[in-house]
Amino acid sequence: MHEPDDVIASVDPSLRVVPAGEAPFADVEAVFGTRGDPATCWCQWYKLRGAEFRAAEPGELRDRLAAQLAEAGPGPGLLAYDGETPVGWCAVEPRPALVRLPHSPVASATPDPDFTDVGVWSVSCFVIPRAFRRRGVATALAAAAVAYAHEHGARVVEAYAVDPAARSKPPAAELFPGTVSMFAAAGFVEVARPKPHRVVMRRVLAG
């Protein structure tokens, strides 16, 4: 198995987090699976206008992600491993790549509405297969996303978290943006709450 060299420090020593573009795409496919929202979205929801997204077949969306991972430059995501097993995905990249964010009722509540600023990065999605949930994988990915963004010139990292405490038992499928507690553990602070259970969180990075 190809093992990426560029390992990003993780808060959990049993996990390693690497740029997904340096991992075999088969490992990305293993995390996204063949059922449910990840296998029909492939982290393209924020990258396409509504009509374009609705017209695309899942296979097209998968191929778009594969092409994005093959491009030069940072992004669009990180992959977590437990040993040789891929156990999670986190989407993180410069905010301008996510063309739908300015039209999102949550993301548009940001205190920094210049969506062309490449110094602002977004953490927009997590995919953790059911077998690997509740093991701190997403928390490790959130921390690694900050380190990765900082390494590649980000001034600010932004997230659009869910606050489970403000909503009675949200289904797991609605937690894909990440939770308030895991972003708080990675040093993010709340900057806006456009909905009772949705929170814009940011971490400002030192130069």
Side-chain angles (χ1 to χ4, degrees):
M1 170 184 170
H2 167 71
E3 183 168 312
D5 294 325
D6 190 8
V7 178
I8 300 167
S10 168
V11 295
D12 184 338
S14 71
L15 299 172
R16 60 187 176 94
V17 180
V18 304
E22 298 180 10
F25 188 65
D27 289 356
V28 178
E29 291 181 296
V31 169
F32 277 71
T34 59
R35 298 181 181 180
D37 291 340
T40 58
C41 177
W42 293 94
C43 261
Q44 302 304 301
W45 170 261
Y46 286 118
K47 295 188 174 186
L48 295 170
R49 302 292 188 187
E52 191 177 4
F53 181 85
R54 289 190 295 271
E57 296 293 331
E60 297 176 67
L61 299 175
R62 179 196 62 226
D63 292 345
R64 282 180 57 88
L65 178 58
Q68 290 156 9
L69 288 167
E71 291 174 358
L78 305 175
L79 209 61
Y81 286 84
D82 185 349
E84 299 297 313
T85 304
V87 296
W89 157 274
C90 169
V92 55
E93 61 189 313
R95 197 171 64 172
L98 306 179
V99 298
R100 201 185 289 205
L101 278 183
H103 310 286
S104 161
V106 176
S108 62
T110 175
D112 185 357
D114 180 5
F115 285 90
T116 66
D117 186 350
V118 297
V120 180
W121 282 47
S122 290
V123 180
S124 59
C125 181
F126 294 82
V127 180
I128 313 297
R130 186 182 301 274
F132 306 112
R133 292 174 189 167
R134 300 185 181 277
R135 293 173 48 183
V137 176
T139 299
L141 281 164
V146 172
Y148 182 71
H150 193 192
E151 178 185 349
H152 289 88
R155 294 181 294 99
V156 175
V157 187
E158 190 170 83
Y160 318 102
V162 176
D163 185 356
R167 188 171 184 181
S168 178
K169 296 183 179 179
E174 294 185 8
L175 300 179
F176 73 89
T179 64
V180 167
S181 61
M182 53 182 254
F183 284 117
F188 289 68
V189 297
E190 178 176 338
V191 294
R193 189 175 284 256
K195 298 183 179 182
H197 68 292
R198 293 301 304 274
V199 183
V200 180
M201 302 185 73
R202 305 185 107 207
R203 178 164 171 179
V204 178
L205 304 175

